[in-house]
Amino acid sequence: MPKATNIPIDVPPRRRVLIAGAGLGLTATACTRTAGPPHRGAPGPGSGSGPGAGSRSGPGGHAARQAGVTTPQQATALVLAYDLDPAVRGASGARALREVLQAWTDALAGSGEGDGSQQDRLTATVGVGPRLPALLGVTAPAALRELPAFPGDRLDPARCGGDVLVQLCADDSDTAEETAESLTRLAGETLRPRWRQSGFLPPPPDGGGTPRDLLGFKNGSANPGVEECERWVWSDDATYLVVRRVHLRVEDFARLAVHRQEEIVGRRRSTGGPLPGGPEHAEVDVFARSPKGRYLTPARSHVGVVSPQQDDGARMLRRGYSYADGPTDQGLLFLAFMRDPALFTRVQRRMATRDELSGFIETRGSALAYILPGAGPDRPLGADLLA
């Protein structure tokens, strides 16, 4: 099977998949080995706050929350989107999808502890799209609705949406590919593959730290910490994922002088630190002014426009990856988790009208998913939603 790209898919792959035992050889709840300390703002498994929070996400086949959200970021990602088959509707359709999610839950938990696949820190994160509840006649989560249209988007409908979304992250892309084939096989005739997109983290020039995007800047410096994730990312044991496939005009941006690039982004290219000074993870007061009244962080810079200060402190957890689908199509696979997608809508509307970086980006794919609570011994993924 070729490496994943963002392409519409009409027929699920039929290749034989070699699986160790009856399962897929991964854990659906958390990675059990890390390649190093997590990036700041990417808390590790079991990092919730409050009594008993450490048991919410951890090693093994079952936990209250799915992994792949606050799990330390892996080297590669693969996002899969499926649609319900046109015959899968109503109560019978809900039963059919429950069977698929039960099969996925069993397989994901089945043999992950013993076959060595955890070397790649594979996580699977499953969610449902805005159309699905109405098609199956089930109650929709309160904030699950289609994202509005945004100025400047050039969306290909065949590369957007999806009734079921799966985020696979691993340190080896082959592991995610094999898992994708297995999940598709287990979906049978209930789900039809719609689109897929792979992503990767470029090797950091400084040997570690916050990943950089293809524009050369660090991406994720202002991610929320553990306690902030409890407030702004998780809604009980669920969350929402926004996926955006953002084409970057890399060559045009590279022609700019470094100081101009920094004015547009709002951070130092070399260190990721704020323009007024300080280390990468220092808080940025985007309303601070010089004695002459000039904003120390340009008001139309990316940092100035998307700052949590513009949203009463609300934050989203970004786990972005780069993609390269040929010499003329490179960009950002934007993955962001939040407790309410209305936050993304507010931020994106500001970006479209005020952010100078918007002149170098073009969103071509978009999706939203409600990330289901984790599975339990007698509670497969989606049990509450499809009850």
Side-chain angles (χ1 to χ4, degrees):
M1 184 174 185
K3 296 296 184 186
T5 56
N6 182 281
I7 56 175
I9 304 176
D10 297 322
V11 181
R14 300 297 184 187
R15 288 179 49 199
R16 172 177 171 80
V17 181
L18 300 178
I19 307 174
L24 299 178
L26 67 148
T27 167
T29 56
C31 63
T32 58
R33 184 184 70 86
T34 61
H39 305 305
R40 183 185 186 273
S47 56
S49 62
S55 64
R56 285 186 167 181
S57 176
H62 302 106
R65 292 173 175 174
Q66 293 193 68
V69 180
T70 57
T71 305
Q73 194 169 11
Q74 301 96 317
T76 71
L78 174 60
V79 179
L80 310 169
Y82 299 87
D83 280 341
L84 293 170
D85 184 89
V88 178
R89 296 292 187 270
S92 62
R95 288 194 297 271
L97 183 57
R98 278 201 303 269
E99 292 176 0
V100 171
L101 294 180
Q102 178 71 70
W104 283 7
T105 301
D106 294 343
L108 291 170
S111 61
E113 294 296 324
D115 68 355
S117 65
Q118 291 175 349
Q119 296 177 23
D120 300 322
R121 299 196 297 134
L122 179 61
T123 56
T125 312
V126 181
V128 300
R131 284 199 334 155
L132 184 139
L135 295 178
L136 299 183
V138 299
T139 302
L144 183 60
R145 58 183 64 92
E146 298 286 355
L147 292 173
F150 298 108
D153 284 0
R154 291 188 59 189
L155 301 178
D156 179 352
R159 298 181 174 185
C160 297
D163 296 328
V164 175
L165 267 69
V166 181
Q167 174 196 264
L168 299 172
C169 295
D171 285 332
D172 183 346
S173 61
D174 289 339
T175 301
E177 287 284 352
E178 292 169 5
T179 304
E181 291 188 13
S182 300
L183 294 177
T184 300
R185 177 183 62 80
L186 290 170
E189 301 303 319
T190 300
L191 298 176
R192 292 185 173 187
R194 179 177 177 87
W195 57 263
R196 53 173 28 223
Q197 179 63 55
S198 62
F200 62 92
L201 296 181
D206 50 5
T210 306
R212 292 179 183 266
D213 57 32
L214 296 182
L215 299 181
F217 282 78
K218 295 190 175 187
N219 192 311
S221 298
N223 261 341
V226 174
E227 293 184 1
E228 291 171 317
C229 282
E230 290 298 315
R231 181 179 182 185
W232 300 118
V233 176
W234 294 109
S235 178
D236 294 325
D237 293 320
T239 184
Y240 290 87
L241 169 63
V242 172
V243 181
R244 303 277 281 180
R245 184 178 184 272
V246 183
H247 173 78
L248 298 177
R249 292 168 50 197
V250 177
E251 292 185 0
D252 291 343
F253 191 81
R255 292 190 185 101
L256 301 176
V258 171
H259 74 86
R260 179 60 183 140
Q261 294 180 5
E262 293 177 339
E263 288 176 347
I264 293 172
V265 173
R267 287 187 175 273
R268 298 297 178 191
R269 180 179 174 125
S270 59
T271 66
L275 290 185
E280 175 189 351
H281 300 299
E283 291 293 332
V284 181
D285 182 359
V286 297
F287 300 124
R289 298 173 182 255
S290 70
K292 295 184 178 181
R294 182 177 181 179
Y295 283 109
L296 299 179
T297 300
R300 295 178 62 84
S301 70
H302 183 65
V303 168
V305 171
V306 306
S307 169
Q309 288 180 277
Q310 306 276 10
D311 295 287
D312 297 323
R315 296 171 180 263
M316 61 186 80
L317 176 63
R318 291 165 292 145
R319 287 173 58 92
Y321 288 83
S322 296
Y323 76 83
D325 293 344
T328 62
D329 189 8
Q330 306 172 55
L332 173 68
L333 175 57
F334 176 90
L335 303 172
F337 296 90
M338 64 212 74
R339 68 179 300 133
D340 187 347
L343 171 61
F344 175 81
T345 298
R346 295 195 302 271
V347 172
Q348 186 62 34
R349 282 175 172 162
R350 292 200 304 269
M351 284 185 59
T353 57
R354 294 163 46 188
D355 191 347
E356 284 196 296
L357 188 60
S358 294
F360 299 89
I361 67 177
E362 182 179 85
T363 301
R364 298 178 176 180
S366 181
L368 172 69
Y370 168 75
I371 300 302
L372 301 164
D378 299 313
R379 189 189 72 254
L381 290 169
D384 294 336
L385 179 70
L386 301 174

